[in-house]
Amino acid sequence: MIRLALAGLRSRLAAFLGTFVAAVLAVALIGGAALLLFSVLTASPTTHRFDAADLMVGGDRQVSLTTVKDKGKGKQKTKTKTERLAGAPALPADWAGKVAALPGVTKVSADYAFPIALTTMDGKPAGDAVGHGWASAALMPFTLQTGTAPASGQIAVDPSLGLHPGDQLLMVSRTGSHRVVVSGVLAQRLDEQRAVFVADSQVSAVSGLTGPTAYAITGSATAASVKAALGVDTVYEGQDKVRADLPTALPDYIGAISIFGFVIGITSFATVFVLTGTVALTVRQRLRELALLRATGATPRQLWRLLSAETLFVTLVAALVGGPLSVVAAEVIAARFRTLGAVPPQFTVSVNVGVLLAAIAVTVLVAQLSARVAARRAIRIAPAQALQETLVEGRTGWVFRTLTAAICATGALVILAVVPLDGPFGMGMTFISSALLLSAVGAAGPLLVGLLGGLLSRLAGLTGIAGWLAGAFTRAENRRVTSVAVPLALMVAINAPMLLNSALSADLAAAQEARRTASASVATGVLPLSALPDDGDYAALLPSRLIVDEGGKPEDYAAYGIQQHGKPVLDLGFTGGDSTANTGLAAASNGLAASEYLARANGWQVGDTVRVWLPDGYATELKLTGVFANNRGFGELLAPADLIAAHDPRGVVTSVVFHGSLALDGMHVVPPQAEASGDADERQGAWEIMIAVSLGFTAIAVVNTFAVAAAARRAQLAQLRLLGATPGQIRRMTAREAVLTVAVGLTLGIAVTTVVVAAFSSAQDGTLRLIVDPAAYGGLLAVVGLLGLAAGTLPARLVLRSVRPI
């Protein structure tokens, strides 16, 4: 059977080329996306400051909530959910004495870590960094490349900052702006943070910390003995020592995990969808051969083994090419994400053999299943009936197809109707809905193509004999048309919703940004809260992260500390509580304000008490004083600025919205639209990359599918030549067939896109939009249409050139 399979591959090399190309793409994209996700899940700091310490003691760096659910009959189910903090609490001063008294401890060092911003003397940014006391330099250890250790009013800086001894700067922290002079430049640098050291005597004044954020222990004491002495579990050794550092000083891969998870979802669906169709198309071209083998005595088991061996050989050879390409694809995507800032600059792709083998295994499994499904009827039924159905397409399997399509379409509509698409999972849910609707289109493809193709083919018949013949072939060869029209629909319906919904989100965010700061000026930079002026009309904003309890699960949200002074300048569109702009902001300055989405999702009402955790882990309860609507590109929560400054390790004002003129040292007025959210920019860039990857793959897949379909028509085109058709007539016929196929594919893709975009649009602001960004949408459809026409005509012309009538 193996020899027969190899002989079949040699004799029908062109027929299997399409499967080979699809399998290469499948391995490359699934493997590349899986490598990216694996890399962020296993990423760890490449360097940290505690190599010279034997043990590190830190505070709790996360919020943990435990819920107990009664399952009846005396059984309970306990769940614990955690969320990482953005800061670190100050540790008790007496811990140093307790640890120093333990046997084997030779030294206990207090470590301080706090974010700072460096600016030039005229307020221009010089870089963000993490500050430490000079005593902490010995924990790595750091040494000086040039200059001296910092004294009062001096700093030693990371070499990546590009500073030199003698440079004068302003060091801005939550305690104020401090004039400093660079005393020395470090010889070492960290990949995860820019370390800046101040004199130990100035740590408290600069950081605002009431105690160290970690303790370093030198000696032979065990982690267990330290945990027992302090009554905590946050004692670390080995590679885990890095967990005692400031959370924001470590690389954050939380966003990257969700992005790459989405990438692998898109690529996996698209590749499996295309691979299934391509393999099935290749197998259907051989149904007559399989039927003849049955007629000459081959058993169904032998034919299954033949198909399985042929498909396995093709996919394994494809894996040899696709495996290295997956590494290349992962590196290219990772480089782009590093440029966007969606992943830390030091992020690298980890090549894992197990991950690549899993991608290959998925490709092989999908190809095997596709081949079996495509050939199952021809192999199982009687040989005579199988031969008959190779001439006239069978009409079987409609019950299963219809049921599958109904289930997928219902699932998509339920998601669009029930899931809140205006929340953080809206884009992900629209992709799932698009995938389900496309699955419904794939299942009901022959029926849908038959209906649309039947109508369009009769219109094509009005264009002459070539159009009539193209329409006749379109109606007669429904499954062939379906196999090329569905990938076109995939190309539209996977990419268009992402393109249009992300554009709509960006437009709505820009519109809300304009409303928030209408007729006001915006100044950006870094400014301590204490440096705000005592007069003028302004709203000062301190960016932060707050954690709230959502039914036993801690969730982290972007937030701002706000200080409102004078007349209202920031319009957040308050809809709950006192909805006037002035009193709404004033109320937020004394309590907690939440976005409409967050309040609705948690069932909060104005006047409710909400428990929140601040970045250093401090838990408090705040009264919900307002609900606001203009939160896009801004944040979900507002809290008093002084509360944020006291418990956020950074705790500085980064933007001030004001009327008239205002003296703000170290800040610069920018156009309102320039005050964009970094997270929003990263998300938009991520969508653009995913669209580019998906569009590129589906484009290749469409060309490949058309080529496979064209190659299978060699005998048919030869028969037309024998019947007297000229090459010109056949070219015109295949061109009209391509037009019909592209029209059907575009129609199906537009239908899916319209449903998804309309639902997403309505969820955003209540406005039903069937078309978003007409220029981008029209451009995408034009690209897909032209690609389909080229892919439908050029392969057929190449085949026609090699056709000999006899």
Side-chain angles (χ1 to χ4, degrees):
M1 190 58 66
I2 293 177
R3 288 196 301 270
L4 185 60
L6 291 174
L9 289 174
R10 286 194 298 269
S11 63
R12 292 180 298 274
L13 194 60
F16 286 100
L17 183 60
T19 299
F20 172 80
V21 172
V24 167
L25 291 174
V27 172
L29 285 182
I30 295 177
L35 285 177
L36 290 171
L37 185 59
F38 172 81
S39 299
V40 296
L41 288 173
T42 59
S44 59
T46 56
T47 57
H48 62 77
R49 300 186 296 112
F50 306 134
D51 285 338
D54 295 305
L55 296 173
M56 291 298 303
V57 181
D60 202 347
R61 300 293 195 263
Q62 63 186 17
V63 173
S64 299
L65 290 177
T66 300
T67 57
V68 179
K69 184 178 180 181
D70 189 359
K71 299 182 68 177
K73 297 182 180 181
K75 295 182 179 180
Q76 292 181 330
K77 185 176 182 180
T78 302
K79 285 186 178 181
T80 299
K81 301 289 186 178
T82 62
E83 184 66 55
R84 192 178 82 160
L85 293 167
L91 301 181
D94 63 349
W95 279 16
K98 292 180 180 179
V99 174
L102 294 175
V105 175
T106 58
K107 184 179 180 181
V108 179
S109 303
D111 178 68
Y112 295 81
F114 47 92
I116 58 173
L118 298 174
T119 68
T120 61
M121 297 304 293
D122 59 356
K124 294 181 180 179
D128 293 330
V130 180
H132 312 282
W134 181 246
S136 296
L139 299 178
M140 184 169 173
F142 283 96
T143 58
L144 290 169
Q145 182 179 25
T146 58
T148 61
S152 180
Q154 297 179 336
I155 57 173
V157 298
D158 186 292
S160 65
L161 288 168
L163 299 172
H164 304 88
D167 289 347
Q168 298 186 19
L169 300 164
L170 286 175
M171 181 171 59
V172 183
S173 68
R174 58 181 175 176
T175 62
S177 297
H178 311 270
R179 289 175 175 266
V180 293
V181 177
V182 176
S183 66
V185 178
L186 301 169
Q188 298 80 20
R189 57 166 297 178
L190 299 172
D191 291 333
E192 284 73 27
Q193 62 172 285
R194 290 170 169 173
V196 170
F197 292 90
V198 303
D200 292 321
S201 60
Q202 286 193 295
V203 168
S204 296
V206 174
S207 68
L209 292 168
T210 58
T213 54
Y215 285 103
I217 303 171
T218 304
S220 59
T222 64
S225 64
V226 176
K227 291 178 181 179
L230 299 178
V232 297
D233 292 328
T234 52
V235 180
Y236 309 107
E237 57 186 333
Q239 291 298 315
D240 287 340
K241 289 184 293 185
V242 69
R243 296 172 63 185
D245 209 344
L246 193 69
T248 52
L250 304 179
D252 183 7
Y253 290 103
I254 302 300
I257 290 173
S258 62
I259 290 173
F260 290 144
F262 202 86
V263 169
I264 196 172
I266 291 176
T267 55
S268 297
F269 174 78
T271 51
V272 169
F273 202 90
V274 169
L275 180 62
T276 300
T278 305
V279 172
L281 179 60
T282 303
V283 171
R284 280 198 297 270
Q285 294 172 5
R286 302 181 56 209
L287 292 183
R288 181 173 179 82
E289 174 190 337
L290 296 175
L292 287 171
L293 288 173
R294 284 288 314 281
T296 55
T299 65
R301 180 179 178 82
Q302 289 174 323
L303 294 184
W304 286 130
R305 290 173 56 195
L306 175 63
L307 280 176
S308 178
E310 290 176 343
T311 306
L312 180 63
F313 284 138
V314 172
T315 50
L316 289 181
V317 173
L320 296 177
V321 180
L325 285 179
S326 66
V327 179
V328 175
E331 291 286 1
V332 171
I333 296 174
R336 180 56 181 157
F337 274 119
R338 282 193 293 266
T339 302
L340 289 171
V343 294
Q346 68 274 12
F347 171 73
T348 58
V349 177
S350 300
V351 179
N352 183 274
V353 176
V355 171
L356 294 179
L357 290 177
I360 293 171
V362 169
T363 304
V364 170
L365 179 61
V366 171
Q368 291 286 334
L369 291 175
S370 303
R372 281 183 168 267
V373 170
R376 70 189 186 282
R377 180 166 174 80
I379 291 177
R380 289 178 178 176
I381 63 178
Q385 187 179 357
L387 282 170
Q388 180 182 357
E389 291 191 1
T390 62
L391 299 176
V392 180
E393 291 184 353
R395 299 293 178 181
T396 59
W398 289 110
V399 174
F400 176 76
R401 285 179 172 274
T402 304
L403 183 60
T404 302
I407 292 173
C408 291
T410 302
L413 296 177
V414 168
I415 290 175
L416 294 175
V418 175
V419 176
L421 300 179
D422 58 337
F425 303 109
M427 289 291 286
M429 290 298 103
T430 56
F431 165 71
I432 294 176
S433 300
S434 298
L436 286 172
L437 288 174
L438 276 170
S439 298
V441 168
L447 176 61
L448 296 174
V449 171
L451 293 174
L452 290 173
L455 175 62
L456 295 175
S457 64
R458 285 172 172 77
L459 294 176
L462 302 177
T463 63
I465 185 61
W468 179 88
L469 196 57
F473 274 120
T474 299
R475 292 191 298 273
E477 299 181 355
N478 180 278
R479 293 188 184 275
R480 176 180 62 81
V481 177
T482 300
S483 64
V484 290
V486 170
L488 282 171
L490 170 73
M491 193 173 179
V492 174
I494 281 291
N495 297 293
M498 285 196 297
L499 176 68
L500 302 180
N501 289 344
S502 61
L504 176 61
S505 297
D507 290 343
L508 293 176
Q512 287 197 0
E513 174 66 22
R515 287 198 296 270
R516 282 195 298 268
T517 58
S519 72
S521 300
V522 179
T524 62
V526 286
L527 191 70
L529 191 61
S530 59
L532 289 171
D534 295 328
D535 56 356
D537 302 324
Y538 65 83
L541 299 172
L542 291 77
S544 186
R545 311 287 302 189
L546 295 181
I547 296 175
V548 299
D549 181 358
E550 294 192 343
K553 182 180 180 182
E555 287 289 347
D556 170 79
Y557 288 101
Y560 275 104
I562 184 168
Q563 180 167 307
Q564 165 70 23
H565 190 278
K567 296 179 181 179
V569 295
L570 187 65
D571 182 11
L572 289 176
F574 278 90
T575 59
D578 194 327
S579 59
T580 61
N582 191 29
T583 54
L585 289 173
S589 299
N590 295 288
L592 184 73
S595 67
E596 285 184 334
Y597 165 77
L598 194 57
R600 182 177 66 252
N602 289 281
W604 295 341
Q605 301 291 331
V606 172
D608 289 350
T609 299
V610 180
R611 191 182 187 194
V612 300
W613 286 263
L614 287 106
D616 63 356
Y618 176 75
T620 186
E621 292 185 343
L622 297 175
K623 182 180 179 181
L624 189 67
T625 56
V627 176
F628 57 92
N630 296 338
N631 64 300
R632 295 179 182 274
F634 181 74
E636 303 293 335
L637 293 166
L638 282 175
D642 54 353
L643 179 66
I644 297 295
H647 295 281
D648 190 304
R650 191 180 188 199
V652 294
V653 175
T654 59
S655 59
V656 177
V657 184
F658 62 95
H659 281 158
S661 60
L662 200 65
L664 298 168
D665 293 336
M667 304 195 84
H668 303 274
V669 177
V670 297
Q673 58 269 27
E675 177 68 2
S677 166
D679 289 343
D681 289 342
E682 290 177 9
R683 286 193 299 269
Q684 185 64 24
W687 289 123
E688 292 172 359
I689 292 176
M690 285 186 277
I691 291 171
V693 171
S694 177
L695 196 61
F697 166 71
T698 49
I700 297 173
V702 164
V703 174
N704 181 56
T705 306
F706 267 106
V708 172
R713 304 185 67 189
R714 180 183 178 88
Q716 184 185 84
L717 297 181
Q719 289 174 349
L720 289 173
R721 290 293 311 278
L722 281 172
L723 293 173
T726 66
Q729 290 173 326
I730 294 178
R731 283 195 294 268
R732 289 193 292 274
M733 179 199 74
T734 55
R736 285 167 172 77
E737 285 183 346
V739 171
L740 290 173
T741 303
V742 169
V744 171
L746 290 181
T747 301
L748 294 174
I750 290 171
V752 172
T753 300
T754 301
V755 172
V756 174
V757 171
F760 183 82
S761 170
S762 298
Q764 302 309 300
D765 59 357
T767 301
L768 177 65
R769 301 175 179 87
L770 299 181
I771 297 178
V772 175
D773 197 347
Y777 195 16
L780 176 64
L781 293 178
V783 168
V784 175
L786 291 175
L787 177 69
L789 292 176
T793 54
L794 294 180
R797 294 192 176 206
L798 292 176
V799 171
L800 184 61
R801 286 182 181 179
S802 63
V803 166
R804 297 292 180 267
I806 300 177

